[in-house]
């Protein structure tokens, strides 16, 4: 069993059909399967063995797909990296994953080099991974071009992989000192593809042209979209960077029929329609639109339907579930505000604070169990045990209630997680970055509502005695410390922070009124 079998089977069914479209390049399923074979052979020739990690630092380009599935076909474990991360953030993940090879684009090489230098300074006598650069030859000093690696490769026999073998380590988020990599096996990824494929709305996916503007480094795009349509034999139009006008033109040009996005993307398309950037009939061929990665506001759902004539179906999932758990597309209506019905093959329980199943209509923490649930966090048994119990139940930290028809509705998050444009941001990470400055006495970070990104990061900062701080100073110091989506949109300088009698900062109070600014 190997995830890449989905591409091989599609190539056998429809070899000449376009699998990927990128700019003016079209990659057929037959070509893609051969490219995956070639990449797997190239990695093996570079010394990659079964179980080794292969990091991927590229945008949404065909070579990402080659590298992702090539690593898996070679029996290695793919580690996708978000190109938006800074060198310190990349260093934390690379130090944790210890990849044997890294496939990257030239534009990310400088950041990657800084990250690897930081990794080298943390540990002694550790071999530096081979850096493979997309493009060329020639490649910069200390690296090899992907083209050269492919030329050098010889035919190899792919190792046998089982359902329990790791295929992917997806880093969810966390502090830069303690990133958490969710281990997803071949069985996990394939199980979720089977579960989603059973949804009637996705039965036509083999005929679909899907826009893939979501970042492939994120599990939503990687398995929830790319994997789903590769399995079905559909066509994916790859987009490196989201822009509402540019993607609108691609939707019209390629007659896109399936649209997957996060709420800020649909909000941006709506705004573009309202201000004449794109015409409403741009979405005339779209039969299926799905939103995920963050909550979809009912007002946005209704407004988009009114403007474009397209219903947005909401999904719910998390990295540890590979990722989809529920979707409104299983029902007869989109049911605004709901995250949907549970996918077939997945069990969900709602538990109260005492660990008991909640009464009807009462809220409780979502627990998930099924073959799609991850194997644990890489090198973190304690963190794994905290969320994955002995009976296989994944404790999500999300709180929801279930209505009479079985639809789930999120009401809260037990975690302090902030979701900005579908990306996870942990307050501790931002707090640590701000707190490095001697001029900062205390800091607390919360998520606040934002029209464009769903949520935004807001920081409350207490200056140290004898120091004066400004919001601009705090934001400027974080420009090269944190990825842009993690940087506070709002910084408030205050005299003190609201606290519990135990001394713990009351983030709920900050989300409401907050302390008084000096």
């Amino acid at each position: 069993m190997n995830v890449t079998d989905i591409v091989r089977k599609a190539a056998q069914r429809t070899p000449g059909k376009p699998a990927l479209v990128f700019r003016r390049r079209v990659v057929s399923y037959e070509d893609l399967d051969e490219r995956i074979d070639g990449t797997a052979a190239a990695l093996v020739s570079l010394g990659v063995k079964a179980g080794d990690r292969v990091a991927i630092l590229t945008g949404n380009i065909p070579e990402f797909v080659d590298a992702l599935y090539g690593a898996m076909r070679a029996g290695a474990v793919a580690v996708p990296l978000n190109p938006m991360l800074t060198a310190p953030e990349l260093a934390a993940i690379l130090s944790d994953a210890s990849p044997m090879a890294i496939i990257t684009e030239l534009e990310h090489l400088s950041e990657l080099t800084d990250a690897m230098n930081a990794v080298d300074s943390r540990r002694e006598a550790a071999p530096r991974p081979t850096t493979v650069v997309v493009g060329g030859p020639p490649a910069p000093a200390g690296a090899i071009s992907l083209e050269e690696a492919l030329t050098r490769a010889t035919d190899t026999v792919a190792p046998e992989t089982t359902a329990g073998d790791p295929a992917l380590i997806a880093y969810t988020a966390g502090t830069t000192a303690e990133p958490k990599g969710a281990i997803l096996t071949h069985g996990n990824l394939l199980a979720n593809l089977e579960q989603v494929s059973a949804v009637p709305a996705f039965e036509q996916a083999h005929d679909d042209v899907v826009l893939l503007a979501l970042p492939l480094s994120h599990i939503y795009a990687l398995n929830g979209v790319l994997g789903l349509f590769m399995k079905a034999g559909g066509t994916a139009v790859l987009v490196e960077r989201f822009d509402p006008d540019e993607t609108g033109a691609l939707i019209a040009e390629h007659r896109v029929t399936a649209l997957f996005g996060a709420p800020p993307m649909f909000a941006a398309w709506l705004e573009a329609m309202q201000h004449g950037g794109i015409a409403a009939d741009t979405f005339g061929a779209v039969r299926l639109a799905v939103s995920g990665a963050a909550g979809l506001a009912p007002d946005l759902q209704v407004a988009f339907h009114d403007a474009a004539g397209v219903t947005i179906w909401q999904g719910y999932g998390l990295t540890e579930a590979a990722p989809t758990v529920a979707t409104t597309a299983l029902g007869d209506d989109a049911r605004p505000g709901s995250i949907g019905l549970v996918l077939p093959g997945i069990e969900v329980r709602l538990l109260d604070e005492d660990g008991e199943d909640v009464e009807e209509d009462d809220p409780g923490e979502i627990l998930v169990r099924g073959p799609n649930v991850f194997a644990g966090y890489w090198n973190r048994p304690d963190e794994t045990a905290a969320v994955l119990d002995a009976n296989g139940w994944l404790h999500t930290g999300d709180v929801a209630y279930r209505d009479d028809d079985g639809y789930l509705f999120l009401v809260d998050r037990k975690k302090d997680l902030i979701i900005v444009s579908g990306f996870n941001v942990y307050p501790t990470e931002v707090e640590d970055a701000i707190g490095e400055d001697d001029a900062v006495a205390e800091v607390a970070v919360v998520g606040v509502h934002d029209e464009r990104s769903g949520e935004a990061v807001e920081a409350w900062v207490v200056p140290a005695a004898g120091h004066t701080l400004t919001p601009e100073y705090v934001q400027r110091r974080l420009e090269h410390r944190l990825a842009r989506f993690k940087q506070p949109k709002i910084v408030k300088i205050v005299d003190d922070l609201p606290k519990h009698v135990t001394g713990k900062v009351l983030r709920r109070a900050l989300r409401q009124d907050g302390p008084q600014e000096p």
Side-chain angles (χ1 to χ4, degrees):
M1 175 184 287
N2 191 293
V3 171
T4 67
D5 292 344
I6 62 175
V7 177
R8 179 146 289 167
K9 290 176 181 177
Q12 292 168 349
R13 292 194 306 269
T14 54
K17 184 176 181 180
L20 306 174
V21 177
F22 178 67
R23 296 175 182 167
R24 298 300 169 191
R25 295 168 58 189
V26 177
V27 180
S28 71
Y29 271 99
E30 183 176 44
D31 290 342
L32 179 58
D33 192 48
E34 290 177 357
R35 289 162 63 107
I36 292 168
D37 271 344
T39 306
L43 289 170
V44 171
S45 70
L46 293 172
V48 173
K49 302 181 296 298
D52 285 341
R53 276 73 60 205
V54 175
I56 308 167
L57 182 62
T58 78
N60 286 15
I61 60 176
E63 288 79 6
F64 178 97
V65 183
D66 301 342
L68 173 74
Y69 291 141
M72 293 179 183
R73 189 166 285 179
V77 184
V79 183
L81 303 173
N82 188 339
M84 297 171 64
L85 297 181
T86 64
E89 293 165 331
L90 289 171
I93 294 174
L94 294 173
S95 179
D96 190 62
S98 298
M100 176 65 71
I102 303 173
I103 298 176
T104 188
E105 291 176 277
L106 190 60
E107 64 183 278
H108 304 304
L109 192 56
S110 176
E111 206 82 32
L112 178 60
T113 300
D114 290 344
M116 289 310 305
N117 288 339
V119 172
D120 289 344
S121 69
R122 297 181 186 183
R123 56 189 186 188
E124 296 180 2
R128 177 172 278 217
T130 301
T131 300
V132 182
V133 180
V134 174
I144 182 174
S145 74
L146 179 59
E147 187 65 34
E148 185 180 355
L150 290 168
T151 303
R152 290 184 185 178
T154 57
D155 291 337
T156 58
V157 178
E160 290 291 331
T161 51
T162 68
D165 287 332
L168 181 76
I169 299 179
Y171 280 84
T172 56
T175 67
T176 54
E178 296 184 305
K180 288 192 300 184
I183 305 169
L184 294 167
T185 67
H186 288 271
N188 294 151
L189 296 172
L190 288 170
N192 200 233
L193 295 181
E194 291 291 342
Q195 292 157 347
V196 176
S197 297
V199 177
F202 301 136
E203 289 178 352
Q204 302 175 41
H206 60 279
D207 291 326
D208 277 321
V209 176
V210 62
L211 184 80
L212 225 173
L214 291 160
L216 281 167
S217 57
H218 193 287
I219 188 64
Y220 176 18
L222 189 152
N223 204 49
V225 185
L226 178 68
L228 176 65
F229 285 88
M230 293 297 98
K231 177 181 182 297
T235 300
V237 178
L238 302 180
V239 181
E240 283 189 282
R241 294 175 181 83
F242 175 75
D243 175 272
D245 295 343
E246 292 175 5
T247 51
L250 288 172
I251 290 167
E253 176 187 353
H254 295 286
R255 301 290 293 167
V256 167
T257 59
L259 205 58
F260 284 68
M265 295 168 64
F266 288 102
W269 280 320
L270 176 62
E271 184 178 355
M273 284 188 285
Q274 293 170 336
H275 293 88
I278 57 176
D281 62 6
T282 293
F283 303 93
V286 174
R287 71 164 191 90
L288 175 68
V290 176
S291 179
L296 178 67
D299 289 349
L300 172 58
Q301 189 175 16
V302 172
F304 192 87
H305 181 272
D306 291 345
V310 174
T311 297
I312 304 175
W313 303 90
Q314 172 73 358
Y316 165 76
L318 60 163
T319 300
E320 293 86 347
T324 311
V325 173
T327 176
T328 56
L330 266 172
D332 296 328
D333 64 88
R335 201 154 302 201
S338 173
I339 57 173
L341 300 165
V342 178
L343 290 175
I346 297 178
E347 299 175 80
V348 164
R349 297 175 67 189
L350 303 180
L351 299 189
D352 61 22
E353 293 292 337
D354 297 321
E356 301 293 332
D357 290 292
V358 299
E359 299 291 334
E360 189 175 348
D361 295 329
D362 284 346
E365 181 185 5
I366 300 174
L367 271 66
V368 179
R369 185 166 69 178
N372 58 307
V373 171
F374 81 143
Y377 294 116
W378 178 255
N379 289 334
R380 298 195 176 277
D382 292 341
E383 284 89 339
T384 299
V387 300
L388 193 60
D389 68 28
N391 294 314
W393 288 101
L394 170 64
H395 296 243
T396 69
D398 293 322
V399 178
Y401 71 89
R402 199 188 320 246
D403 71 9
D404 292 340
D405 296 322
Y407 283 81
L408 293 169
F409 291 79
L410 282 180
V411 296
D412 199 2
R413 283 198 300 268
K414 291 178 69 175
K415 305 170 184 176
D416 290 317
L417 183 68
I418 305 167
I419 301 180
V420 180
S421 296
F423 291 104
N424 293 352
V425 180
Y426 282 82
T428 304
E429 180 174 14
V430 185
E431 290 166 354
D432 288 349
I434 295 174
E436 290 175 356
D437 194 320
D438 292 339
V440 175
E442 287 186 292
V443 58
V445 165
V446 295
V448 294
H449 176 71
D450 186 86
E451 289 293 337
R452 293 192 64 85
S453 59
E455 284 187 298
V457 177
E458 181 177 82
W460 300 78
V461 184
V462 178
H467 291 270
T468 300
L469 291 173
T470 66
E472 294 75 18
Y473 171 81
V474 173
Q475 289 169 321
R476 190 165 55 250
R477 286 193 75 255
L478 297 178
E479 287 180 356
H480 301 293
R481 287 174 169 80
L482 296 174
R484 184 173 299 176
F485 65 88
K486 299 179 185 179
Q487 295 172 18
K489 183 175 183 179
I490 304 166
V491 175
K492 297 189 176 182
I493 309 301
V494 296
D495 288 331
D496 52 45
L497 299 173
K499 295 178 181 177
H500 189 268
V501 292
T502 60
K504 182 178 181 180
V505 174
L506 295 173
R507 284 198 173 93
R508 181 170 296 180
L510 295 178
R511 294 188 190 100
Q512 295 169 353
D513 299 324
Q516 295 299 310
E517 297 183 63

